């Protein structure tokens, strides 16, 4: 990733990080409309409210932006799951993670990418599934933890590909996959 010169002040660095975050958030919006194949850096710059030279200061190419975006998405997921489980223990902690997965998918604009570029989404899922499974597995105990985590993530992926308007049903399916009794 290209960074601003090392002579930048602390205030500039904070602003630059904010600019970088805006560009990455804008990338999500543009991808949801046009997909990766038709991703335009001009559209990303416009969506982020920055000039093309500013975008190029951070990301020298479309590939560099997409690579950074993949890392950004993983970090957003990790940060969200950590926040959702902070201060919780045992089953409550696991349930917090499952609730986050449902909320994340419900609010995630990238769901439309399945309709635009299914082959790209399927390829990316191959990379994302092991990461998500490992993250969820850390919250489970017992000898069947790997199977429970894998099953829950496959349920989540199914809901990602074929979106449902029933978030409660989705959460119940995730809970069932990991062995949590419904709270109703």
């Amino acid at each position: 990733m290209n960074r601003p010169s090392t002579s930048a002040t602390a205030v500039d660095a904070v602003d630059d990080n904010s600019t970088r975050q805006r560009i990455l958030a804008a990338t999500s919006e543009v991808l949801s409309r046009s997909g990766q194949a038709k991703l335009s850096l001009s559209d990303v710059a416009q969506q982020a409210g920055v000039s093309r030279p500013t975008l190029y200061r951070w990301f020298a190419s479309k590939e560099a932006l997409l690579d950074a975006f993949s890392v950004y998405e993983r970090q957003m997921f990790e940060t969200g799951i950590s926040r959702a489980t902070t201060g919780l223990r045992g089953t409550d902690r696991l349930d917090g993670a499952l609730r986050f997965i449902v909320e994340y998918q419900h609010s995630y604009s990238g769901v439309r990418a399945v309709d635009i570029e299914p082959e790209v989404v399927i390829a990316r899922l191959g990379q994302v599934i092991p990461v998500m499974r490992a993250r969820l597995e850390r919250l489970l105990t017992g000898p069947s933890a790997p199977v429970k985590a894998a099953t829950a993530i496959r349920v989540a992926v199914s809901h990602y590909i074929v979106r449902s308007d029933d978030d409660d049903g989705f959460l119940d399916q995730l809970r069932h996959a990991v062995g949590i009794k419904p709270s109703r």
Side-chain angles (χ1 to χ4, degrees):
M1 163 184 62
N2 295 335
R3 295 250 173 187
S5 70
T6 55
S7 63
T9 66
V11 172
D12 291 338
V14 169
D15 181 50
D16 284 342
N17 191 41
S18 173
T19 299
R20 184 177 189 280
Q21 296 299 322
R22 272 197 348 259
I23 292 168
L24 291 169
T27 301
S28 177
E29 288 301 314
V30 174
L31 283 170
S32 72
R33 290 191 305 260
S34 60
Q36 283 187 18
K38 295 181 182 176
L39 179 70
S40 159
L41 294 182
S42 293
D43 290 347
V44 172
Q46 182 179 12
Q47 180 74 36
V50 301
S51 66
R52 279 189 57 128
T54 297
L55 186 139
Y56 279 111
R57 185 171 131 198
W58 287 99
F59 308 102
S61 67
K62 178 177 168 177
E63 292 73 27
L65 176 60
L66 289 172
D67 289 346
F69 182 71
S70 291
V71 171
Y72 170 78
E73 281 188 307
R74 273 194 305 272
Q75 288 172 340
M76 294 296 288
F77 183 82
E78 283 292 327
T79 299
I81 231 168
S82 292
R83 285 182 182 152
T85 59
T86 297
L88 300 176
R89 296 219 172 285
T91 303
D92 289 338
R93 186 169 186 219
L94 178 57
D95 197 53
L98 299 178
R99 286 177 179 277
F100 171 75
I101 290 169
V102 171
E103 290 169 14
Y104 184 79
Q105 284 193 198
H106 182 79
S107 66
Y108 186 64
S109 63
V111 170
R112 293 182 299 235
V114 171
D115 297 327
I116 298 167
E117 293 178 320
E119 66 285 350
V120 172
V121 172
I122 298 298
R124 285 192 49 190
L125 285 173
Q127 299 166 351
V128 171
I129 288 172
V131 173
M132 291 177 64
R133 185 185 63 234
R135 180 64 170 101
L136 188 58
E137 193 174 331
R138 287 184 282 185
L139 299 173
L140 293 161
T141 59
S144 61
V147 171
K148 288 179 178 180
T151 304
I153 295 308
R154 296 291 174 165
V155 167
V157 167
S158 294
H159 277 267
Y160 176 80
I161 292 172
V162 181
R163 191 166 183 167
S164 166
D165 62 354
D166 183 7
D167 289 348
D168 291 335
F170 178 17
L171 181 59
D172 285 345
Q173 291 169 24
L174 290 173
R175 286 174 172 156
H176 180 77
V178 299
I180 296 177
K181 301 280 185 211
S183 59
R184 296 182 210 169

